[in-house]
Amino acid sequence: MRRDTHGFDDFYADQMRPLRRLGFLLTGDWSEAEELAQDAMERTYRAWDRISEKDRPWAYARTVLVNRHRSLLRRAMVEAKHAVTRSDTAHPGDLSEDRVVLWSAVSSLSVRHRQAVVLRFYEDLSDGDIAEIMGCPVGTVKSLIHRGIARLRSATDLAHLATAGSDVA
Amino acid sequence: MKTDLENDLKDLFTEMVADEPPLGAPVEARSTARGSTWTFNVHSALRGALARGFATAGLAGAVAVGAVVAPRIIDAPPTDRPGSLIQPGAAPSERPQPPSSGTLATAPDRTPDTTTSARPGSSEPGQTTTEPQGDPTKPNPAAGVAATAYPSPDAAPPPEPRSTQPPTQPPTQQHDCTPKGNGSIATSVACDAATEAVLRFAHGRVAQKDAETWLTSHAKSRYDRNESGLRLYAPSTERPYASYFVTERASEDDGSVRFTVEINQGYIGKSGDRIRTEHVYVAAATNWRGQPTPNTMAVVNANLVAGPTEP
């Protein structure tokens, strides 16, 4: 198999870790994140010949990762595996209580909401970029982010209320 | 204008990824597939494979792209992939003795290397990589198969003489099923005909000199037309590598065994990272006699299993 890999090595060096971090924020598990990132890189490599700068390889790789994440979760649900629950239980031990609550809330988001929120607030991508990566209209992205934030706010407020209630009691 | 929550999110995400482990670091994995539970250190890629459960049922819906079977032992090839057989020809005359004892599964021997490399253009100069390093062009008996890079088709021929067997003649040498470096084999998996076929194929890929002779003309044709999902060669301009893992998934019943062979192939980038470009799984099972059971051995390109929709 011959392939022109010119430039891919640099792309890999630049993007492997950011992709893995994105995968972690979507799955909560570093090993799954690495696998997602490797898969995304593998797919990007296969398409490298036809990907040009105009096609934005970084967006292509993120699209593959996001799709792969979704399909894996779908399959996990079919197989009755609790990938999300299992994965997202892990978090750094030195997180503050507020952060733990917020991370739990992020973990409870639906796949699409979580993807949109992570792409926006971690990757700092525009609505247009997120729409391209997630394969949906810009309006949908705005809605996903808006609702995702609303659910996060609701979940964290509830947690704070519960904490306050227990303190009072 | 970002709200406090949005700022908190940004900080949270940054904090969460701050504890990023090095690339390729082994992780503790636990598999409960088929009721068998064991814990072992395994590379994250394999852990991911185990987590996804490469049970036969899971493979049923997969797009099968090739077969590794021992025709003299297996009566029927997989029905969805007729004819794509790899002929070992000389069936193993004797089964090697199973490993005497040890843990149920072994961790792939991927010693982390903490070489620090400043990558040109990288957003993180000086970051630590953990992928195995070293000159892959030099034989490394300790590292075994995975560290044995095979030359590209354009490269100079290997120093050792190539087999003069005609392409249709399979290698007659009994395959050595002992673990070799990164090519780890679960210690409890008897090296039966099926395992041997898989490992011989994997070694053939690595050595780039026998794998194709294992293919029937039909399978060879599929390979040449790039229909098999198998690619035996790495990019010609890069330093290629290949590695495999053989891991028992779980015992079925009465001593039968299911195992998965994972073949990773790619090239070694400028920074020394192993850049994976191919990812192939082989699922197989044996009965209590150690014979492979029909329709359970299939080479499946992982990229075709529930893969993403490419843009």
Side-chain angles (χ1 to χ4, degrees):
Chain A
M1 182 66 184
R2 316 274 180 88
R3 192 180 293 270
D4 176 17
T5 60
H6 178 70
F8 181 78
D9 205 12
D10 289 337
F11 174 78
Y12 183 97
D14 271 340
Q15 294 293 320
M16 181 59 188
R17 283 177 181 266
L19 280 173
R20 193 168 71 139
R21 291 173 188 147
L22 173 61
F24 173 75
L25 292 176
L26 294 179
T27 65
D29 184 283
W30 280 113
S31 57
E32 287 184 15
E34 183 163 338
E35 194 64 16
L36 282 173
Q38 279 280 9
D39 282 345
M41 280 293 182
E42 201 172 317
R43 291 273 178 164
T44 305
Y45 171 82
R46 288 167 182 270
W48 194 251
D49 291 347
R50 56 186 169 86
I51 293 180
S52 65
E53 281 301 317
K54 183 183 173 186
D55 294 328
R56 302 194 300 173
W58 65 268
Y60 184 95
R62 279 159 178 76
T63 302
V64 174
L65 189 146
V66 164
N67 287 337
R68 179 76 172 157
H69 170 239
R70 203 159 52 215
S71 64
L72 285 179
L73 281 182
R74 194 179 303 127
R75 185 164 64 178
M77 283 188 286
V78 170
E79 294 174 356
K81 292 183 182 296
H82 307 287
V84 175
T85 302
R86 172 178 53 79
S87 300
D88 291 353
T89 55
H91 54 73
D94 54 355
L95 278 185
S96 67
E97 188 175 341
D98 286 347
R99 293 283 160 80
V100 170
V101 169
L102 186 54
W103 179 246
S104 298
V106 169
S107 302
S108 68
L109 290 176
S110 71
V111 176
R112 299 284 281 174
H113 286 113
R114 183 169 180 172
Q115 289 177 344
V117 167
V118 170
L119 288 170
R120 162 56 55 84
F121 296 107
Y122 176 67
E123 296 254 320
D124 278 331
L125 297 180
S126 67
D127 290 344
D129 287 340
I130 298 173
E132 178 186 345
I133 290 171
M134 295 185 66
C136 61
V138 172
T140 304
V141 169
K142 290 179 178 175
S143 171
L144 286 171
I145 293 173
H146 178 76
R147 293 184 182 179
I149 290 294
R151 290 179 187 182
L152 290 176
R153 181 167 286 117
S154 173
T156 51
D157 287 348
L158 276 176
H160 290 146
L161 279 176
T163 304
S166 63
D167 290 345
V168 170
Chain B
M1 184 66 182
K2 288 187 177 179
T3 65
D4 288 344
L5 178 60
E6 293 169 355
N7 288 326
D8 286 348
L9 269 176
K10 177 90 178 164
D11 293 342
L12 170 69
F13 292 154
T14 303
E15 192 171 345
M16 289 299 291
V17 299
D19 288 345
E20 180 180 15
L23 281 169
V27 295
E28 189 77 10
R30 177 178 291 272
S31 172
T32 56
R34 301 262 177 182
S36 174
T37 301
W38 11 274
T39 303
F40 51 92
N41 284 320
V42 63
H43 184 259
S44 60
L46 182 55
R47 182 223 174 275
L50 291 168
R52 290 196 293 274
F54 282 89
T56 305
L59 293 173
V63 180
V65 291
V68 177
V69 293
R72 294 173 58 180
I73 300 174
I74 297 177
D75 297 330
T79 54
D80 54 347
R81 298 153 61 246
S84 55
L85 305 179
I86 294 172
Q87 294 180 329
S93 56
E94 58 182 6
R95 290 179 55 185
Q97 292 297 318
S100 56
S101 63
T103 56
L104 184 59
T106 57
D109 184 14
R110 303 186 68 170
T111 305
D113 186 325
T114 55
T115 301
T116 300
S117 61
R119 295 172 172 167
S122 170
S123 58
E124 293 181 327
Q127 65 190 9
T128 300
T129 62
T130 60
E131 289 295 326
Q133 308 290 312
D135 185 354
T137 61
K138 295 178 181 176
N140 182 358
V145 171
T148 305
Y150 50 86
S152 69
D154 294 337
E160 66 270 21
R162 295 287 298 265
S163 170
T164 56
Q165 290 178 329
T168 55
Q169 292 296 320
T172 56
Q173 184 179 0
Q174 179 71 27
H175 186 73
D176 180 8
C177 286
T178 55
K180 291 181 176 62
N182 287 358
S184 298
I185 183 169
T187 54
S188 64
V189 175
C191 184
D192 52 29
T195 315
E196 182 181 331
V198 171
L199 296 191
R200 191 183 295 183
F201 180 71
H203 285 179
R205 294 186 73 178
V206 172
Q208 196 202 334
K209 56 184 179 181
D210 279 335
E212 284 177 295
T213 68
W214 283 68
L215 302 173
T216 63
S217 57
H218 179 82
K220 177 70 164 53
S221 174
R222 288 190 56 174
Y223 168 71
D224 288 341
R225 295 198 304 268
N226 196 21
E227 294 175 354
S228 67
L230 300 175
R231 295 182 179 86
L232 302 185
Y233 304 116
S236 59
T237 58
E238 306 289 347
R239 294 183 298 164
Y241 81 92
S243 63
Y244 68 85
F245 309 114
V246 181
T247 300
E248 179 184 10
R249 290 207 305 273
S251 292
E252 279 288 279
D253 48 33
D254 296 333
S256 66
V257 167
R258 287 181 177 274
F259 57 90
T260 300
V261 178
E262 179 188 18
I263 301 173
N264 284 315
Q265 183 178 346
Y267 67 89
I268 300 173
K270 286 182 288 190
S271 61
D273 284 349
R274 290 189 169 206
I275 300 174
R276 188 179 76 194
T277 59
E278 304 293 336
H279 201 187
V280 179
Y281 291 99
V282 182
T286 65
N287 62 20
W288 64 276
R289 289 176 175 167
Q291 297 168 333
T293 54
N295 301 329
T296 57
M297 250 183 130
V299 175
V300 179
N301 188 327
N303 293 309
L304 299 179
V305 181
T309 304
E310 289 192 45

